[in-house]
């Protein structure tokens, strides 16, 4: 789309991306999660009057697996108990956990959440566990997390007091339970399950209300990890960093133990003209830990240098929908972004490829004369091949 500015002297060109194409999905998923290498996307999407769990191959955009499991109806009747779907994808993209939780029925009997972990490659159940009911709250279970190779499943309950259960999926038994006594949770529950960040070694968990769970020592502590309510969190590789995004659009960096605050990234979605409310909705570290990708609910995607805490270039072009999940390819040359209406957007981060694209668009590099005008103190060199 092209338009004139107010004075009528400048023509601006705006790319509509996929907003007007068949790739723009009008049915927004309640939750979308990318695997650590960005090759697999798991999402909960309304279809045929109910939520559907779908697994997509991001290279083709096709649904490769849709488990035949129980799901909550969309727009249920008022006389039926409330229902919520939960989902968690293992970091390696090989397994997905799903389950349905309901509030207590009219007799007051609490539900017994039944969780199934699926092997995505074989399309078969890998493990099934049934959690104990908790009569003190409505749903009891509000978040799931799988470790790197689906050895353990972590189930978070927003009960009073809150607790985290760790399940051995091979033996199908409860290993340990960590809870925080004399603590009352505040804040809404996210559709599709509360987002939680599990450290790569599986020994520490950060929940959306700001609870830091040390699995080994069985300790749970509330921390003020962000400047507002936590909306996203991600651990870096090799026990390096923890990044926490909040609903004010700020990103705070911590050490991997969440004890030492290292700084706040200034100029994130809170200061972006493209973001209306500025909430951080997705975070991902590159595999070498040097770069942090930040996504916002206004459709912004930014790249940050972690060591210097500086923004790398301008915001990446997006379709404009909420960014639900981010992931880097294993060689860190591609960034994947899962959106609310465009399932997957890919960005090349290869410097040589990007330079060639710029040269094609510009037609040529700077001439020696233009170089002398704009870069008089830098020796001339050819920037684009002939």
């Amino acid at each position: 789309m092209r338009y004139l500015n107010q004075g009528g002297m400048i023509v601006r060109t705006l790319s509509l991306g996929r907003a007007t194409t068949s790739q723009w999905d009008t049915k927004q998923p309640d939750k979308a999660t990318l695997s650590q290498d960005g090759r697999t996307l798991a999402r909960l999407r309304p279809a045929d009057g109910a939520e559907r769990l779908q697994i997509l191959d991001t290279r083709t955009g096709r649904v490769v697996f849709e488990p035949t499991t129980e799901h909550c109806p969309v727009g249920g009747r008022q006389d039926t108990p409330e229902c919520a779907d939960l989902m968690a994808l293992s970091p390696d993209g090989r397994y997905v956990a799903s389950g349905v939780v309901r509030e207590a029925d009219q007799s007051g009997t609490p539900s017994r959440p039944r969780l199934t972990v699926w092997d995505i490659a074989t399309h078969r159940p890998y493990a099934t566990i049934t959690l104990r009911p908790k009569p003190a709250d409505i749903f009891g279970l509000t978040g799931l997390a799988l470790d790197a190779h689906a050895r353990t499943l972590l189930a978070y309950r927003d009960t009073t007091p809150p607790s985290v259960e760790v399940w051995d999926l091979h033996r199908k038994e409860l290993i340990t339970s960590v809870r925080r006594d004399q603590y009352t949770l505040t804040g809404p529950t996210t559709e599709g399950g509360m987002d939680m960040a599990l450290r790569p070694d599986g020994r520490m968990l950060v929940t959306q209300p700001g609870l830091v769970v040390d699995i080994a020592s069985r300790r749970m502590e509330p921390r003020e990890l962000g400047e507002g309510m936590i909306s996203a969190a991600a651990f870096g590789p090799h026990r390096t960093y923890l990044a926490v995004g909040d609903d004010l659009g700020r990103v705070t960096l911590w050490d991997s133990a969440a004890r030492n605050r290292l700084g706040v990234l200034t100029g994130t979605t809170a200061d972006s003209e493209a973001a209306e409310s500025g909430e951080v909705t997705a975070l991902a570290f590159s595999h070498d830990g040097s770069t942090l990708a930040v996504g916002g609910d206004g459709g912004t995607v930014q790249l940050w240098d972690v060591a210097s805490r500086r923004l790398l270039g301008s915001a990446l072009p997006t379709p404009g929908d909420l960014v639900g999940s981010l992931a880097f390819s294993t060689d860190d040359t591609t960034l994947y972004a899962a959106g609310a209406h465009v399932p997957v957007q890919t960005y090349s981060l290869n410097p040589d490829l990007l330079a060639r694209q710029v040269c094609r668009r510009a037609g040529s590099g700077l001439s020696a004369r233009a170089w002398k005008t704009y870069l008089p103190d830098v020796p001339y060199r050819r920037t684009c091949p002939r």
Side-chain angles (χ1 to χ4, degrees):
M1 180 177 70
R2 291 185 173 87
Y3 61 95
L4 289 171
N5 70 337
Q6 188 174 7
M9 300 298 292
I10 300 176
V11 177
R12 300 190 184 274
T13 302
L14 175 66
S15 173
L16 300 180
R18 302 179 184 181
T20 58
T21 70
S22 60
Q23 293 175 317
W24 183 270
D25 192 346
T26 58
K27 294 182 179 180
Q28 180 175 335
D30 285 329
K31 186 173 184 178
T33 304
L34 286 162
S35 60
Q36 204 168 46
D37 61 3
R39 297 175 65 176
T40 304
L41 171 68
R43 67 179 183 180
L44 282 171
R45 179 179 178 273
D48 301 325
E51 295 285 354
R52 291 286 185 268
L53 173 59
Q54 297 178 330
I55 309 299
L56 285 76
D57 185 332
T58 59
R59 293 164 293 181
T60 63
R62 295 180 179 178
V63 176
V64 296
F65 180 39
E66 189 169 327
T68 55
T69 186
E70 181 184 16
H71 292 287
C72 294
V74 177
R77 303 192 310 270
Q78 293 184 351
D79 59 346
T80 59
E82 288 191 51
C83 178
D85 282 279
L86 297 178
M87 177 198 78
L89 182 67
S90 65
D92 61 7
R94 296 176 57 194
Y95 302 93
V96 63
S98 66
V100 171
V101 290
R102 292 184 173 85
E103 67 174 342
D105 58 25
Q106 295 180 350
S107 66
T109 303
S111 64
R112 292 177 60 87
R114 187 171 182 266
L115 305 176
T116 302
V117 179
W118 298 87
D119 186 317
I120 294 175
T122 64
H123 297 185
R124 294 178 180 273
Y126 171 71
T128 300
I129 59 175
T130 301
L131 275 62
R132 302 163 188 164
K134 296 284 186 179
D137 55 66
I138 296 178
F139 290 118
L141 182 66
T142 53
L144 301 176
L146 288 168
D147 70 357
H149 304 292
R151 291 183 294 257
T152 58
L153 171 72
L154 288 81
Y156 175 73
R157 296 180 184 269
D158 64 348
T159 52
T160 301
S163 64
V164 172
E165 296 178 1
V166 183
W167 289 79
D168 186 311
L169 293 178
H170 291 290
R171 294 182 292 176
K172 301 179 181 62
E173 64 182 22
L174 181 65
I175 301 175
T176 187
S177 180
V178 185
R179 73 177 193 173
R180 174 73 180 184
D181 292 327
Q182 300 178 345
Y183 181 76
T184 301
L185 291 170
T186 59
T189 299
T190 306
E191 290 292 335
M194 181 178 295
D195 288 327
M196 304 189 295
L198 181 64
R199 204 166 66 185
D201 62 4
R203 298 172 64 89
M204 182 166 286
L205 181 76
V206 173
T207 72
Q208 221 164 357
L211 293 173
V212 178
V213 184
D214 189 318
I215 306 299
S217 64
R218 298 182 60 184
R219 297 185 62 182
M220 178 185 294
E221 297 180 8
R223 305 264 183 88
E224 292 186 7
L225 297 175
E227 298 189 4
M229 184 178 293
I230 294 177
S231 54
F235 281 98
H238 316 303
R239 299 185 65 172
T240 49
Y241 301 102
L242 167 66
V244 176
D246 58 41
D247 60 347
L248 301 178
R250 306 292 183 185
V251 176
T252 306
L253 284 178
W254 297 79
D255 67 348
S256 64
R259 294 197 176 278
N260 299 314
R261 177 169 156 165
L262 305 178
V264 178
L265 303 185
T266 57
T268 50
T269 60
D271 308 301
S272 172
E273 296 179 357
E276 295 179 1
S277 61
E279 179 176 331
V280 176
T281 54
L283 294 166
F285 282 93
S286 59
H287 294 274
D288 63 5
S290 65
T291 306
L292 176 67
V294 180
D297 62 353
T300 56
V301 174
Q302 298 174 333
L303 295 175
W304 289 79
D305 179 75
V306 177
S308 66
R309 302 186 192 95
R310 292 180 180 272
L311 182 64
L312 299 174
S314 57
L316 300 177
T318 70
D321 54 346
L322 179 147
V323 180
S325 185
L326 294 165
F328 287 84
S329 62
T330 53
D331 60 0
D332 291 333
T333 61
T334 302
L335 177 68
Y336 297 87
H341 296 286
V342 177
V344 182
Q345 184 91 347
T346 60
Y347 303 92
S348 174
L349 305 180
N350 185 313
D352 293 335
L353 177 60
L354 295 175
R356 290 196 296 270
Q357 290 177 350
V358 171
C359 287
R360 282 199 302 268
R361 292 174 183 173
S364 65
L366 288 176
S367 64
R369 182 176 180 180
W371 187 286
K372 186 176 181 180
T373 300
Y374 298 108
L375 301 168
D377 299 326
V378 180
Y380 174 76
R381 64 183 178 88
R382 182 173 295 145
T383 53
C384 289
R386 292 180 179 177

